[in-house]
């Protein structure tokens, strides 16, 4: 019972982070289940089954708060579902450890780019509520994000949110709400893939339902938070999360001793904290004028 309570709390925290920052539910939840003794394939399968419910609740919450661009959801989510189904069937048979270092390196670089972009020179068009990206950009992104998500127990948010945020052409709240909503399609496809590859015995239903219970509590809270966090601050928070969640894997991949992880992560944390302070200070000095512009610009789009 104590383990189930901890798993439920982990699901709540994971959904709170994912729903407000557009990533980290899978990574956080999978980490919890791996610590509980599950194999990578079973942990990923259980997490994705739980995500079917949490993504549905999160998507509804984001939609009600006008954080969703439905064309972006479809153009990203359908290719993502294809990638996640393929990834789930592959993980049922193979190990993808060799791909983890390369992906960690890519995500750390992109995370640093987002952190610097939103802290030093925020993109001027980051308030657009309708994504201008076409299928040539979104389809490959969806397939890759879905595949990484299924094989790694998480990664849809880090890949999709990172790419869309780094492009700087869509409002962060729209990126997060749409990526979270499209993940429903990814989770359904991944769950079907795991059922095809592992059967029902490959999923721990007790853990999946416990994660789901915690996530359902957090989903509406997280969707509300994303409407209250200023765009520049949200971009800075997302960038820091990406770097912190991937720097350890990158250091391990290049042969750095595990004893170096704590000081490096502490250093990243300090830089992240300074960046957050810079953004908050800039906003306080401007009297919130930039956010008022965002509201004015997006009001007409949301009404269409």
């Amino acid at each position: 019972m104590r383990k189930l309570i901890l798993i439920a709390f982990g699901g709540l925290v994971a959904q709170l982070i994912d729903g407000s920052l557009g990533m980290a539910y899978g990574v956080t939840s999978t980490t919890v289940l791996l610590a509980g003794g599950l194999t990578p394939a079973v942990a990923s399968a259980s997490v994705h089954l739980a995500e079917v419910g949490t993504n549905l609740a999160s998507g509804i919450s984001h939609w009600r708060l006008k954080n969703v661009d439905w064309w972006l959801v479809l153009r990203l989510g359908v290719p993502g579902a294809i990638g996640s189904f393929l990834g789930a069937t592959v993980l049922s048979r193979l190990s993808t450890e060799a791909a983890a270092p390369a992906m960690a390196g890519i995500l750390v670089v992109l995370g640093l780019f987002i952190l610097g972009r939103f802290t030093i020179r925020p993109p001027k068009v980051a308030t657009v509520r309708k994504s201008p990206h076409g299928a040539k950009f979104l389809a490959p992104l969806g397939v890759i994000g879905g595949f990484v998500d299924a094989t790694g127990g998480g990664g849809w948010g880090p890949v999709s949110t990172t790419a869309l945020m780094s492009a700087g052409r869509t409002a962060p709240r729209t990126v997060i709400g749409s990526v979270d909503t499209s993940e429903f399609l990814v989770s359904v496809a991944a769950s079907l893939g795991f059922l095809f590859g592992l059967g029902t015995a490959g999923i721990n239903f007790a853990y999946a339902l416990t994660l789901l219970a915690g996530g359902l509590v957090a989903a509406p809270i997280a969707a509300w938070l994303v409407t209250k966090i200023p765009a520049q601050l949200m971009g800075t928070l997302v960038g820091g999360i990406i770097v912190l969640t991937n720097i350890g894997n990158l250091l391990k991949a290049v042969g750095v001793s595990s004893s170096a992880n704590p000081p490096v992560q502490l250093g990243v944390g300090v830089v992240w904290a300074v960046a957050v302070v810079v953004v908050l200070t800039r906003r306080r000095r401007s009297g919130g004028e930039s956010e008022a512009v965002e509201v004015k610009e997006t009001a007409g789009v949301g009404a269409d």
Side-chain angles (χ1 to χ4, degrees):
M1 179 59 70
R2 181 179 180 182
K3 180 180 289 188
L4 291 178
I5 293 174
L6 290 175
I7 290 174
F9 180 73
L12 186 149
V13 173
Q15 182 58 40
L16 193 62
I17 296 172
D18 184 83
S20 57
L21 296 182
M23 65 187 68
Y25 181 90
V27 174
T28 305
S29 300
T30 300
T31 301
V32 172
L33 295 188
L34 289 175
L38 272 66
T39 64
V42 174
S44 183
S46 302
V47 166
H48 280 90
L49 183 60
E51 280 187 304
V52 171
T54 58
N55 291 150
L56 180 59
S58 182
I60 292 173
S61 298
H62 277 297
W63 166 68
R64 293 181 64 183
L65 293 169
K66 299 181 180 179
N67 298 335
V68 179
D69 175 358
W70 288 107
W71 277 113
L72 176 57
V73 169
L74 292 175
R75 286 179 289 183
L76 184 66
V78 173
I82 296 172
S84 66
F85 183 84
L86 295 174
T89 55
V90 167
L91 184 61
S92 299
R93 298 171 174 81
L94 301 174
S95 170
T96 56
E97 293 180 1
M103 183 56 62
I106 293 171
L107 291 175
V108 166
V109 171
L110 287 174
L112 289 171
F113 174 76
I114 291 175
L115 189 62
R117 184 175 178 85
F118 279 87
T119 303
I120 301 172
R121 191 177 180 182
K124 295 181 180 179
V125 294
T127 58
V128 176
R129 298 294 300 281
K130 295 290 184 181
S131 176
H133 298 294
K136 290 183 179 179
F137 174 75
L138 295 174
L141 175 63
V143 172
I144 294 171
F147 188 87
V148 171
D149 186 79
T151 55
W156 177 250
V159 173
S160 302
T161 302
T162 297
L164 290 169
M165 292 282 280
S166 63
R169 301 180 66 187
T170 311
R173 62 181 286 185
T174 301
V175 169
I176 292 171
S178 301
V179 168
D180 248 29
T181 304
S182 64
E183 193 171 8
F184 172 75
L185 301 175
V186 174
S187 300
V188 170
S191 297
L192 292 174
F194 282 119
L195 286 173
F196 175 77
L198 299 174
T200 56
I203 299 177
N204 190 309
F205 288 95
Y207 285 3
L209 291 174
T210 303
L211 282 174
L212 172 60
L216 290 177
V217 173
I221 301 173
W224 175 79
L225 280 175
V226 83
T227 67
K228 301 300 179 183
I229 302 176
Q232 292 182 24
L233 177 59
M234 191 179 298
T236 304
L237 292 174
V238 169
I241 282 286
I242 294 169
V243 176
L244 279 178
T245 54
N246 289 280
I247 192 66
N249 290 334
L250 180 60
L251 292 175
K252 181 180 179 181
V254 298
V256 176
S257 173
S258 58
S259 61
N261 280 358
V264 171
Q265 290 179 326
L266 177 61
V268 171
V270 170
V271 172
W272 187 23
V274 170
V276 170
V277 170
V278 169
V279 171
L280 290 175
T281 301
R282 182 189 299 126
R283 177 173 168 75
R284 188 177 298 112
R285 288 177 178 175
S286 66
E289 292 178 4
S290 60
E291 196 66 19
V293 172
E294 176 181 348
V295 173
K296 181 178 180 180
E297 290 178 354
T298 59
V301 176
D304 292 338

